[in-house]
Every structure is written in C-alpha cells, then in structure tokens.
Amino acid sequence: MDALAKPVFLTKEEKAPARPRLFARPTAKTGLMSWITTVDHKRIGLLYGLFALFFFLVGGFEALLIRTQLMFPNNNVLTAQQYNTMFTMHGTTMIFLAVMPLSSAFFNFIMPLQIGARDVAFPRLNAFSLWTFVAGAIILNIGWFLPTATHGAPDGGWFGYAPLTSKTFIAKHSIDYWVMGLQLLGAASIAASLNFIVTIINLRAPGMTMMRLPVFTWMTLITSFLVILSFPAITIALVELMMDRNFGTNFFEASNGGMPILWQHLFWVFGHPEVYILILPAMGIISEILPTFSRKPLFGYPIVVFSGACIGFLGFGVWSHHMFTTGMGTVATAAFAMATMAIAVPTGVKIFNWIGTIWGGHLQMRTPMMFALGFVWMFMIGGFSGVMHSAAPADAQQQDSYFVIAHFHYVLIGGSLFALLAGIHYWFPLMFGRKASEFWGKLSFWVIFVGFNVTFFPMHFLGLNGMPRRTFTYDANMGWNTANFVSTMGAFTLGVGIFIYFATMVYTYLKGERVGRDVWDGRTLEWSLPVPPPEYNYRVIPTVHARDAWWYEKHHQEEIKKEQAEYAHAEAAHGGIHMPFPSIWPFVTSVGILIGAFGVAFFDSNPAPGIHAKLGTTLFGAAVMLVGIYFWALEGAEGYHLHVDEEGRTAEPTSHVGKS
Ligand code: HEM
Ligand SMILES: [Cu+2]
C-alpha cells in the first residue's frame, strides 16, 4: 500500500489555521490513522477491494464446505442446520460482501480518473459508505462467534423468505443479524450511489459530454441508479421483518393474518435489479478491456450505452419471474414471462457489440483479455439457460433445482467475477505501478476456467435429473453420485485457480515488474496519469476532445491544435490544488451505527430485563452516530493547498492532456 501512502509534506502556511476546537482535525498522511480518516477516492477504492477480496475468500471457503458435503451421498461433514447456515452465508457473502464491494472498488478508484475529476463529489460521505459497509459485514458475520443455540450465523437463505424467517420458525437471533446487516449494507450502498451519480453528472472534465463518457463510467451511473431505486424496497421489507421479530407486528406472520407473498414481492422488486447491479459493472469493465486489446474502438458505443440503460429499466419489470410457482395467475405469469424474454434483447445486443469489437481487431492475448473473452463465452451460456427459465412452464420444472444453481453461477462467476478478475489485472499497473507475469496470470485463468466449468456444467444435468437445491444430502440410488463427485472435484480445481490468482497478485504487488504510465497503450483518460496516480489525480484538469479521450490525445494532435482556442481558459484558472482534509467523523458515525444495529439484533426485547439492554445499546449507538454526524457537519470544509510543481512528484503530462 505504501505506493499510495507517500507522504505529501505541508509547508507551514498550508497547515490548517490554528483555531480553538474541541477535537483537532486529523492530518496523518501515513500509517493506520491515515487509512481510517482518508477521504481520497483511490484509497477508499483500495480498502473496498481488500475487504471484498477477504470476504470472497470467506465465501469461497463456505462454498467448498458445501461442495465437500455433497461430494458423496449420505455424507455427514455438515449437519442439516450447519448446511443451512453455510448456503445462506455463502450466497449473502458472495453477493453483498464480495462482488458488490469489488465493483465499488473500481467505481471508487477508476471512475473519477476516467472523467478527469480530482475526487468524488462528497469525499467524506464516501468514507462513510466504506465504514458502514464494513459495519454491515461485521453484523452479518458476528453470529459465527456467538452461541449457536441462541444466536448463530444467519440461516434463512440469502432471500430470507418470510414467514420462514419469522420468530415462529427461527426463534434464535441469527435472522436478526441478517436483517440488520443488510440494512447497513443498503444504507452504505445508497450513500455511495448518490455520491457516484452527483460525481458523474457534475465533475466531468471540460469537453467530457455524456456521449463521450467511457462505458465503464456509464455502467457505474446506471448501476448507481439501480441501487437507489431498488434498495428502498428491501429496506421496507427488512424493517417489517424486524418489527415482526422484535416488536410483535404481523406483516408476515401468517398465523396472525400476515401476508407471506408480500415478502416475495418486496424482496424480488429489489432482488431482480440486484442481479443487474452485479452484472452491469462487469459489462462496463469488459467494454473497456476488449477495445484496448483489440486495438479498435468499441463497436456501436451508443448502442452499448442505450442497451445498458434499457436493461436498467426493464430490470424493474421482471421481478415476478422469481415467483412463477406462487400462483399469481395466468395473466401475470404470462406478462412477466414475456418481459423476461424481452430483457434478453438488449443483453444480446451487447454481446454482438463485443463480438463486433473483437472482429477484425489486432488481438493482443494478454491476461485481462483472456479473462474478458472467458466472460463473453460463459456469460452467453448463463444467458441461454436464463432464457430457458423465462418460459414459465419450463421454470415450473427447473425452479429450486440445481439447474438454477448452474444458471446463476454462470452469470455470477462466469460473468461478474471473471470481469472483476479481468479488471484487477487490467488496472493493477495503474494502481501500483507493477504488472503481473503473463505466465502466472494466464495459468490462473486456465485453471479457474476449467475448474469453473467442471463444477457448474454438470449441475445443469443434476437439476434436470431432479436434484433440488438447498438439500444437504441425497440418497445413493438417485443417480446423482457421479455428477456431484465431478462437480466437487471441479470446485477444488477452481479453488486452486483462485489461489494461484491471489498468489500472483500478492507477488506482483511486492516484486512484480515495474511499469510506467499507460502500460497497455490505453484509450481512456486514467491512462494519461503517472503510476500510481498522485493524490490530486490531475495537475491540470484535462480537456476532452473526443470519445476515447486519451487515444485521441495520442493520435490526433493536429485536430486538437485547431480546437485549442476554444478551451484556452482552462489553464489560466490553475494556481495550486486545493485538497480536502482527512476526517475521523464518517468513521465514528459508522461505529455508532454498528453499535446501534448490534443492540437491535443481539438482545431479546422480551423478557423484560432484555428490553433495557436492547434500548440502552441501541440508544448509545444512536448517540455515537449523532456525535459523529454533528462534528462531521461542523468541522468545516477547509483543506490545504498543494503546489505540485515544488513537490517533486511531477504530474506533468507527456502530451497535450492537461495543457489545453
Ligand atoms: C467459488 C466458487 C463457488 C462455488 C463452488 C459455489 C457453490 C455453490 C453451491 C453448491 C450452492 C448451492 C447450495 C445449495 O443449494 O444447497 C451455491 C449457492 C449459491 N451461490 Fe455459490 N458458489 C461459488 C461462488 C459463488 C459466487 C461468486 C456467487 C455470487 C456472486 C455465488 C452465489 C450463490 C448464491 C446466491 C447461492 C444461493 C444460496 C441460496 O440458495 O440461498 N456463489 N453456491
Ligand atoms: Cu430475476
């Protein structure tokens, strides 16, 4: 990490004016404190990435336990109860603590660089999002460390179907951790998304029109809208479930007239857009990598953008395809089936655009490109099986069978995860100034690729042969033995591949080949920066003359000279760079929220002594949170100036970018 932690020395005048205050403002530029108080989007992005990778390993470990249990018939590595916990935590962890935050890591690190900004619009809100995400992750996992009889980790499925998650069926606190954990993660995601939206709308460099935005930034924007529009639905469902479980309301308590189907509607109005929240960032990453290594612009840029927006819209109209078997009636079922098939169209359009991009290009088979091509291929397989269960009668057979497990892992691993792994290889040289070995990168690709297909392809057949999902064991004469054994072998191979991948990245961070600016001969603005990018990103905010701004910069100097007069004002405004101070208050606010959520989840509201502990802890958490918000609001926005020229770290662009 020290690549980014290089101290930036402040001269006397640049330090905060000494005025009396209760708590002095943190100014640490190195060490632990600097990471806790950081408001720099690049550092926040790296922290998101580290936490996400950690939880990816946890979720992967849980998956291996699941597969070990299913390796042989009548196996007893896990009990039925432990199995429930395992698949619940595996699904929840992978979605909310691994793939989403890993996407967030790129949103944070890359997006502001791509649009030529110095930071996101609200740097301290950004830090708050990060720490609230961490708080949510802690609450979700805290049950592992508490007595299983009364607490335990969540065990109601990642979808938390009420009333199975009500007090009647799960009396212990496990579900309360799930409820509160997801609430915090939702709050974190919504805050982060608002920040990204404002950043993309407001902080684009001069000349960066919407139709010149890099596709990854476009997908960040669309994903952020999906988050702020879909999370409120699950927030409401979770509040209702929390009230049912803790305060005796009856939203979902069927025995008291509650309405179980309400949960499903609220959950899937969130849940379906959520799968696009997982896949759109991946599509954005792919749309950056394929052009770079095909040495061609993206084929049909406007169509890729509009089909992304179209997927975003349609994604809100198909939620009931998760409920075909709940008896909604023929009209609703038919309508949702057709809407679901319709969404395959913009998705297919994107695939054709990617193929059009590679077509006739001078392909450079580097590691990021391998992962990107793997993505296209496997995402197509996942897409096909998706269209298969959009037909309601077929879905009636496939629902809750291993066919569905095969389908969504092709989309989530073959899709999202492959793109994210591609993205790490692609942007690593920009983040750390080091590049991974092609040999080890490609080896990890092939082992992951083979392991993945061996694990999940047989599950299509297991599903069609009737093996139900979320079943903790099976009988020897069901005809499922071989496929299950093969699948588990595949899972271990996949595990080895992931290990090679991680080992390669750690080695690269420590000892990898050093590279300079623009290793891949890239197309978008972030590649114009020195590696790793300085604290202030751009010495002078660049002026953008075309889509693929940096590529244009490199190859169209003549045209740019002609346009220069138009933008002559940009340089004149430059006189030192204003940087915001770090702040501890977003962190304190998140800690308060963590304590409050713990209070709600941990203690019984009944019997009576419990209610005091519950209220006490919750109110204490709320108080800490309010203190955090209060000082956050009042600490003021002043910062310090960096005179980049005197500082010795030159951000002097080699070419025209930044000089307009
Ligand atoms: C690392 C390799 C992985 C393996 C071997 C694996 C394996 C499995 C298996 C066997 C199940 C079925 C559990 C059951 O139905 O009893 C499952 C469920 C699930 N997996 Fe994975 N998985 C992996 C990675 C992922 C990733 C990356 C994601 C998401 C981004 C994911 C999301 C899910 C979800 C949402 C469920 C459903 C859990 C539920 O039914 O509540 N998995 N996984
Ligand atoms: Cu769906």
Side-chain angles (χ1 to χ4, degrees):
M1 237 56 349
D2 53 71
L4 274 166
K6 279 212 185 91
V8 175
F9 298 104
L10 307 181
T11 63
K12 266 213 189 82
E13 317 76 80
E14 289 162 343
K15 285 211 178 108
R19 53 188 169 91
R21 50 172 77 236
L22 189 48
F23 297 104
R25 197 143 186 178
T27 49
K29 292 277 165 191
T30 51
L32 185 63
M33 238 358 228
S34 73
W35 288 94
I36 289 178
T37 59
T38 187
V39 295
D40 176 24
H41 72 98
K42 297 179 290 300
R43 283 176 155 222
I44 290 175
L46 289 179
L47 288 174
Y48 261 111
L50 283 179
F51 285 117
L53 291 173
F54 169 75
F55 283 111
F56 175 58
L57 292 185
V58 174
F61 178 71
E62 288 156 359
L64 288 183
L65 282 178
I66 293 175
R67 272 323 317 171
T68 310
Q69 164 64 17
L70 295 176
M71 178 157 54
F72 300 114
N74 302 315
N75 214 359
N76 53 11
V77 177
L78 299 175
T79 64
Q81 167 62 33
Q82 285 168 336
Y83 192 89
N84 288 348
T85 312
M86 223 45 89
F87 78 67
T88 301
M89 284 311 285
H90 163 70
T92 310
T93 302
M94 284 300 194
I95 291 176
F96 296 104
L97 306 184
V99 172
M100 275 178 82
L102 203 47
S103 300
S104 248
F106 291 120
F107 294 170
N108 267 298
F109 199 109
I110 301 299
M111 180 273 286
L113 303 182
Q114 283 197 327
I115 64 172
R118 292 240 157 83
D119 205 325
V120 293
F122 310 112
R124 289 180 296 168
L125 185 66
N126 207 19
F128 168 80
S129 304
L130 169 74
W131 296 116
T132 304
F133 152 70
V134 175
I138 293 174
I139 292 280
L140 264 179
N141 280 285
I142 206 163
W144 291 119
F145 308 101
L146 299 171
T148 26
T150 47
H151 295 268
D155 50 359
W158 86 275
F159 41 80
Y161 281 162
L164 294 178
T165 40
S166 70
K167 267 254 152 48
T168 317
F169 293 96
I170 302 182
K172 56 190 203 152
H173 286 292
S174 55
I175 300 300
D176 297 314
Y177 300 120
W178 185 79
V179 169
M180 293 318 288
L182 285 196
Q183 289 294 44
L184 302 202
L185 295 176
S189 300
I190 290 178
S193 299
L194 287 169
N195 214 341
F196 296 142
I197 292 173
V198 177
T199 305
I200 296 172
I201 303 286
N202 279 341
L203 297 187
R204 280 167 293 138
M208 175 73 83
T209 61
M210 290 307 271
M211 289 317 273
R212 285 178 182 172
L213 277 189
V215 179
F216 176 71
T217 298
W218 254 115
M219 295 306 134
T220 307
L221 183 65
I222 297 172
T223 307
S224 303
F225 272 109
L226 291 186
V227 168
I228 61 169
L229 294 174
S230 71
F231 266 82
I234 195 177
T235 304
I236 289 169
L238 291 169
V239 167
E240 292 178 350
L241 184 57
M242 180 195 76
M243 307 247 292
D244 273 11
R245 291 182 56 86
N246 291 278
F247 306 112
T249 56
N250 290 300
F251 289 102
F252 308 117
E253 285 288 354
S255 53
N256 289 333
M259 201 199 256
I261 203 79
L262 175 64
W263 173 270
Q264 293 208 24
H265 281 296
L266 286 175
F267 182 82
W268 288 113
V269 164
F270 149 77
H272 192 81
E274 170 67 20
V275 307
Y276 293 103
I277 292 170
L278 300 172
I279 200 67
L280 285 170
M283 291 173 157
I285 294 175
I286 294 309
S287 305
E288 300 291 324
I289 293 178
L290 292 178
T292 299
F293 295 102
S294 304
R295 330 244 0 104
K296 276 175 67 192
L298 183 70
F299 180 78
Y301 168 95
I303 299 182
V304 174
V305 169
F306 286 130
S307 62
C310 195
I311 291 174
F313 274 114
L314 290 177
F316 280 96
V318 301
W319 78 92
S320 280
H321 65 205
H322 296 269
M323 301 162 63
F324 280 150
T325 55
T326 56
M328 293 182 295
T330 35
V331 174
T333 302
F336 279 105
M338 284 187 305
T340 306
M341 290 173 199
I343 216 167
V345 176
T347 312
V349 164
K350 274 196 152 71
I351 293 178
F352 281 114
N353 280 290
W354 291 324
I355 296 175
T357 307
I358 318 169
W359 199 274
H362 300 278
L363 303 197
Q364 296 174 318
M365 285 300 175
R366 306 280 180 72
T367 311
M369 184 66 164
M370 304 285 281
F371 276 99
L373 293 175
F375 164 96
V376 175
W377 176 239
M378 286 178 301
F379 183 72
M380 269 165 66
I381 298 180
F384 286 137
S385 57
V387 175
M388 283 169 80
H389 37 248
S390 65
D395 182 69
Q397 292 300 311
Q398 290 152 15
Q399 134 133 89
D400 274 342
S401 78
Y402 260 77
F403 191 86
V404 174
I405 305 276
H407 156 69
F408 70 66
H409 284 88
Y410 265 89
V411 181
L412 290 176
I413 303 186
S416 302
L417 191 66
F418 263 69
L420 291 165
L421 296 181
I424 293 177
H425 261 282
Y426 182 56
W427 280 306
F428 201 89
L430 175 69
M431 296 174 171
F432 301 107
R434 293 181 190 265
K435 182 180 152 316
S437 124
E438 283 295 318
F439 173 80
W440 288 101
K442 282 182 185 153
L443 182 73
S444 71
F445 166 79
W446 282 113
V447 179
I448 293 173
F449 184 83
V450 170
F452 166 76
N453 283 289
V454 173
T455 312
F456 292 101
F457 206 75
M459 289 189 190
H460 291 111
F461 301 108
L462 278 175
L464 295 176
N465 287 335
M467 177 156 160
R469 75 194 266 207
R470 305 174 204 131
T471 191
F472 94 104
T473 190
Y474 53 92
D475 207 66
N477 53 28
M478 299 298 289
W480 302 333
N481 301 4
T482 318
N484 268 309
F485 184 78
V486 170
S487 174
T488 302
M489 290 300 110
F492 282 108
T493 313
L494 180 54
V496 171
I498 298 287
F499 175 80
I500 300 175
Y501 185 97
F502 269 80
T504 308
M505 286 349 269
V506 171
Y507 180 84
T508 308
Y509 175 72
L510 297 172
K511 297 215 164 92
E513 177 197 345
R514 282 188 187 280
V515 290
R517 176 199 311 252
D518 199 11
V519 250
W520 311 118
D521 193 6
R523 313 183 70 87
T524 37
L525 271 189
E526 75 270 25
W527 298 110
S528 69
L529 289 168
V531 292
E535 199 189 358
Y536 44 81
N537 297 350
Y538 292 94
R539 194 182 70 82
V540 176
I541 299 297
T543 301
V544 174
H545 301 271
R547 197 177 287 157
D548 283 340
W550 174 236
W551 185 263
Y552 193 78
E553 215 46 77
K554 289 187 282 191
H555 299 283
H556 295 84
Q557 282 299 325
E558 287 298 297
E559 291 90 325
I560 287 170
K561 287 216 180 75
K562 284 189 215 126
E563 293 172 34
Q564 259 175 29
E566 222 182 297
Y567 299 105
H569 59 278
E571 173 87 339
H574 176 62
I577 295 175
H578 177 90
M579 300 298 294
F581 272 130
S583 170
I584 188 74
W585 301 113
F587 180 79
V588 172
T589 309
S590 300
V591 170
I593 291 178
L594 173 67
I595 298 170
F598 183 73
V600 175
F602 184 79
F603 298 102
D604 286 306
S605 51
N606 194 31
I611 189 91
H612 298 306
K614 192 182 192 70
L615 269 177
T617 314
T618 309
L619 290 179
F620 176 68
V624 174
M625 179 185 85
L626 287 177
V627 168
I629 294 177
Y630 181 81
F631 285 104
W632 174 349
L634 292 191
E635 70 183 341
E638 89 272 24
Y640 55 93
H641 274 78
L642 276 181
H643 299 290
V644 288
D645 295 342
E646 297 155 22
E647 197 220 314
R649 297 192 59 201
T650 167
E652 196 70 54
T654 47
S655 93
H656 166 80
V657 156
K659 291 214 186 120
S660 43

